[in-house]
Amino acid sequence: MTRLHLDYETRSNLDLRVVGVDRYSTDPSTKVLMASFKINDEKTQQWVPAEGECMPSDLKQALHDPEVTKIGFNVQFERWITKKVLGIENPVESWKCSMALAYMFSFVGGLDDIAKQMNLKHKKHEGGVRLIRMFCGPNKPNKTQPFVWRDNLTDPEDWETFKGYNIGDTDADYELWTKLNRFDVPEWRWDMYHIDQIINDRGLPINREFVQNALEIAKRRKTELISEQNRITKLQNSNSNAQFLPWAKDRGYWFDDLQKDTVAKVLAEEEQEVANPSQTYVWAEKKFVTTSFPDAKIDSLGRVNGNAILTDGCRAVLRMRAASSKTSTTKYDACIRGLADDDRLRHCFQFAGASRTNRWAGRKIQPQNLGRTPKWLEPESYINFDRLDYCNQLIQNGCYEALGLFAGEQMDAVAGCVRSCIQASAGKVLVVCDLASIESVCIFWLTDCNKGLDVFNAGKDIYKAFAVDLFHKPYDEINKGERGIAKPGVLGAGYRLSGGELRDGKKTGLWGYAEAMGVHMTCEQAQATVNVFRETYAEIPAAWYAIENAIAKALRNGGRIVKWKKLTFQVKKPFLVVTLPSGRPMYYYKARVEQVDAVSRAGNDYKKDIISYMGKNQITTQWERIESHGGKFIENFVQAIAMDLLACGLYLCHKDGFYIVGHVHDEIISEEDEQDTYHTWQRKRKHMVARPWWAPGIPLDAAGYQARVYRKD
């Protein structure tokens, strides 16, 4: 197999980071300045068209030959520049991405980041950012610099450095590829990468007018809110945290920060009534029971309290600030910046973007992180009125005042309808299907927990089934509120969450996890839920410790394979390799186990194994050693298995001709002709619930819908 390692440096009037490669590559101002390339293991060469050079014959031949594998870091860019700027088209299958390869091994970031993480011999030039700013974007002419573009004539020394920078990228890319390609990557992973690129190239269909009107509404409302905030507070800039925090603390606000989640918790604790104001749930006699608290509210410690702490003015301004600073509206900005002339938003999905699990990550509008449709826009069975559809129409038509009357707050409506910007093109319809409770299915299947599997095999609701054990009531008598209390336990307790505590004024563990889901419970209720979950599904906590033991044994076992149920563990330096049921390897870089002194709850001293590996700390964003435990590992494995199941569904749907345009977590979105009676969500469901050979007995189910406007069903 002939390999071509390739890296372009380009210039354009557009900023690639802002508009994305789709708009960037199709803009008439975009030109190739230079290209460094390496064929197989030969010396790196360079072509510099900006200096009038003709393309070398070996590069031209390699670019035109579909049998030559083209490799580059984030090669999607090179592929589109080759096609749109140079006019040379190759099938997607001719390209492989070294960034995607590095992500499969749980490295993160750009080429310079990964070069440091892997300790590559070739590293990016430290002045690369300066050189790109100098040569890749237009210069504003003035008396001393009367030119638009810098080049070899305006800045000859920096230009030569830039050429060296370009060659260095290909050398680093080649070294990265060579080091990682010696490890096992199943060929089907590259098949999925190529399907991923096809999906990304198609793009999400966007209603441009809807997005533009949403932005106008948000801009107008934000100006009004800030003006009203300033009027109430009499501050020069009430959006300034430094100015607003002292004002708020004088009026009952009890935290020292104004972070989004902190403010949301304060408002929820002040204003969120229990689902039924005359009834709440408490833990007594080893089960949840109901008790009456008329007009009750839950305070910051999880206690029932009818007395507000904040002044009315402070509460009002906090709500205004929360509305005016909604980050979900920035997705509309990202959407309009990257939107192509054909109203498609391309390249929103990053293959293997999530470390270790290799789930897809989101780009641009972050489709994997779209906000849920607010409950007040959800349909009610007893009302023949589609609130979401009506709200969408108001935004579509720019009805500012009517939207305020309907929603109460325009910003809440705009933020709640972000998903609605994805709309099928004329004559088309979105066909959507979603795997049901897939993480719960996977954790029960992985741990051989028959009690959980039996629920799915019987076609029952896992949240109601767990509520049976929480409330000691028959399945058919579990109500909506009781199911809601059970849901956080099913979703979070399997990953070893504790009951939680108040730490720095904020809730942790299942207590905080439930609150983030909009489920308000006391600390005692959270701990009771954890206890019941661990007793009910005892195979899961047993798995945490068995996994820790298996990993520790593998790390001390000199490369010999250690098996646990459906997984295998083996050290292949510098990685701990976990092989999933699908045969796909997961990689933990420089994993190690060490014993430390610990004290039990009973006060006894003992030795404890600590397992850690190198990775990106999600809080500090730094590449550092991360300690882990059985609960976190099983979360990784469950999400990785869920991703493999989604990949199987994507593959089957793609082969069956579904025009897939996106996928969100465990959901597949395609755009089909309105008259197409073959590519229905029911047919898509058959592909998604088909058990792969490596997952015997797993109880898969899925549901879907067909509509012009995308929504969370």
Side-chain angles (χ1 to χ4, degrees), residues 455-687:
V455 173
F456 291 105
N457 285 321
K460 292 185 175 180
D461 182 326
I462 188 62
Y463 308 134
K464 288 181 66 175
F466 180 50
V468 168
D469 294 287
L470 280 178
F471 294 95
H472 292 208
K473 293 174 60 176
Y475 180 89
D476 293 336
E477 294 181 15
I478 298 298
N479 61 40
K480 186 176 180 180
E482 291 161 347
R483 179 185 183 275
I485 288 286
K487 185 174 181 179
V490 173
L491 295 177
Y495 299 146
R496 206 172 174 175
L497 282 179
S498 65
E501 61 184 359
L502 205 64
R503 191 177 300 161
D504 297 326
K506 298 181 182 180
K507 300 170 186 175
T508 64
L510 187 67
W511 191 20
Y513 180 83
E515 183 181 62
M517 291 177 59
V519 179
H520 297 271
M521 58 174 67
T522 67
C523 183
E524 292 76 16
Q525 289 170 346
Q527 186 59 60
T529 301
V530 167
N531 294 341
V532 173
F533 183 92
R534 294 181 181 186
E535 293 171 4
T536 304
Y537 309 115
E539 293 88 347
I540 293 176
W544 303 334
Y545 306 110
I547 286 171
E548 289 176 358
N549 291 335
I551 291 174
K553 186 176 180 180
L555 291 172
R556 292 169 173 152
N557 229 12
R560 284 173 290 180
I561 293 175
V562 176
K563 293 186 177 182
W564 177 79
K565 293 189 180 293
K566 304 170 181 70
L567 306 174
T568 65
F569 305 86
Q570 184 182 20
V571 172
K572 294 182 181 179
K573 291 185 177 180
F575 300 102
L576 166 69
V577 183
V578 182
T579 304
L580 298 167
S582 65
R584 175 167 69 91
M586 292 176 65
Y587 292 95
Y588 291 84
Y589 186 48
K590 293 185 177 179
R592 72 186 186 201
V593 59
E594 54 190 334
Q595 281 199 336
V596 298
D597 294 326
V599 180
S600 70
R601 290 184 178 179
N604 300 318
D605 295 335
Y606 71 103
K607 293 288 186 181
K608 178 181 178 181
D609 283 344
I610 296 293
I611 301 169
S612 65
Y613 52 83
M614 296 301 295
K616 180 181 177 181
N617 187 308
Q618 296 302 310
I619 298 175
T620 66
T621 71
Q622 299 300 306
W623 182 260
E624 58 190 46
R625 186 154 290 279
I626 298 172
E627 291 186 2
S628 194
H629 55 78
K632 188 64 180 176
F633 281 117
I634 205 170
E635 180 180 20
N636 283 181
F637 305 153
V638 163
Q639 291 182 351
I641 292 169
M643 196 283 294
D644 287 347
L645 290 167
L646 177 69
C648 290
L650 281 167
Y651 178 83
L652 293 174
C653 289
H654 174 72
K655 291 299 180 183
D656 198 23
F658 281 90
Y659 194 83
I660 303 170
V661 296
H663 44 87
V664 178
H665 296 303
D666 308 303
E667 177 183 73
I668 299 177
I669 310 163
S670 63
E671 187 182 31
E672 313 296 344
D673 290 334
E674 283 181 333
Q675 306 306 317
D676 189 340
T677 58
Y678 179 85
H679 293 105
T680 62
W681 76 260
Q682 291 89 347
R683 183 167 184 82
K684 182 181 289 185
R685 178 187 177 278
K686 289 182 180 179
H687 294 314

Side-chain angles (χ1 to χ4, degrees), residues 332-406:
Y332 291 108
D333 285 310
C335 186
I336 208 70
R337 288 196 302 266
L339 196 58
D341 291 340
D342 61 354
D343 290 347
R344 311 293 287 199
L345 187 65
R346 296 182 170 87
H347 309 135
C348 292
F349 304 94
Q350 176 58 60
F351 184 80
S355 293
R356 290 164 290 282
T357 67
N358 278 189
R359 297 181 103 178
W360 276 269
R363 297 290 182 263
K364 295 186 177 177
I365 62 169
Q366 301 281 343
Q368 312 292 355
N369 190 31
L370 292 172
R372 292 190 64 88
T373 303
K375 289 187 179 300
W376 61 273
L377 284 176
E378 290 180 355
E380 294 285 357
S381 58
Y382 57 87
I383 300 177
N384 187 23
F385 174 61
D386 192 326
R387 295 189 182 105
L388 180 60
D389 181 61
Y390 182 66
C391 194
N392 287 337
Q393 290 179 38
L394 293 176
I395 295 173
Q396 174 77 34
N397 297 322
C399 302
Y400 183 83
E401 287 81 8
L403 186 65
L405 289 172
F406 172 70

Side-chain angles (χ1 to χ4, degrees), residues 435 438 441 645 685 688-692 698-702:
L435 286 166
I438 191 61
V441 168
L645 290 167
R685 178 187 177 278
M688 294 179 70
V689 302
R691 289 176 186 161
I698 192 166
L700 299 178
D701 196 8

